[in-house]
Structure formats: structure tokens, C-alpha cells
Amino acid sequence: MSLSRIMKWITGGCEAFLGIPFIGGAFILSSGWGALFVMFILHLVTLLVAHNEKGSKAGSIIGMVTSVVAVIPILGMIMHIITAIVLLIDAMINKK
């Protein structure tokens, strides 16, 4: 299994957790929005790895946008869920 695929599983799982109503929001608030910064960095690393492996970059780009706009409560939850779906599907179908 490629490193980009592993990173997509990890970031997709984290995004799914952050998209859980109230629980994800409480986690983000309790970290002082640090969780969003960590997720931005993880998506950036995943993007760079996917670029080097000539893989799909869409999920990582959406994830970086999500990390920025997720300070808006309801929009953030929706974006986390969408990002999780994109990343997890990409990790499942990407065999590189």
C-alpha cells in the first residue's frame, strides 16, 4: 500500500471524526482550533506525497479548504463530512 493511500485513510478518518455533530465541534473548540491547524498540515503532507506518487490530490485540496472554513460551525461540520467521504473513497479506489 502506498504512503499516499495510507495518509488518505488517516486524514479521511480524522475528518469523519471531526464531522460528528457536537463531538467533533467540541473537540475542535477544546483544542482552541489547534485541531484544524493540525489537519491543514496533514492535508498538506498528504497532498505533497500524492503529488510525488502521481496520485489524486482532490481530497487533500478539499481538506485544506475545509480546515480554513471550518471555523464556521455548521459549514465546518458539512465540509468535514464531505472531505471525509472524498478522502475515504479515494483511498478505497486508489490502488497505487
Side-chain angles (χ1 to χ4, degrees):
M1 189 179 314
S2 69
L3 180 58
S4 66
R5 191 169 178 204
I6 292 168
M7 291 296 295
K8 288 174 186 177
W9 279 113
I10 292 169
T11 55
C14 291
E15 288 289 347
F17 171 74
L18 294 176
I20 298 171
F22 303 111
I23 297 171
F27 182 79
I28 291 169
L29 290 175
S30 70
S31 71
W33 285 273
L36 297 178
F37 178 73
V38 169
M39 287 307 299
F40 185 88
I41 299 301
L42 284 174
H43 288 303
L44 180 61
V45 169
T46 305
L47 176 69
L48 295 173
V49 170
H51 177 73
N52 286 340
E53 294 181 0
K54 310 272 190 273
S56 172
K57 301 169 205 66
S60 297
I61 294 169
I62 295 169
M64 291 168 62
V65 172
T66 297
S67 296
V68 173
V69 300
V71 296
I72 304 168
I74 302 300
L75 178 62
M77 180 186 70
I78 293 167
M79 289 296 294
H80 283 302
I81 293 168
I82 291 169
T83 304
I85 291 168
V86 170
L87 283 165
L88 294 173
I89 289 173
D90 191 27
M92 280 192 296
I93 63 172
N94 182 11
K95 299 298 181 192
K96 290 184 179 182

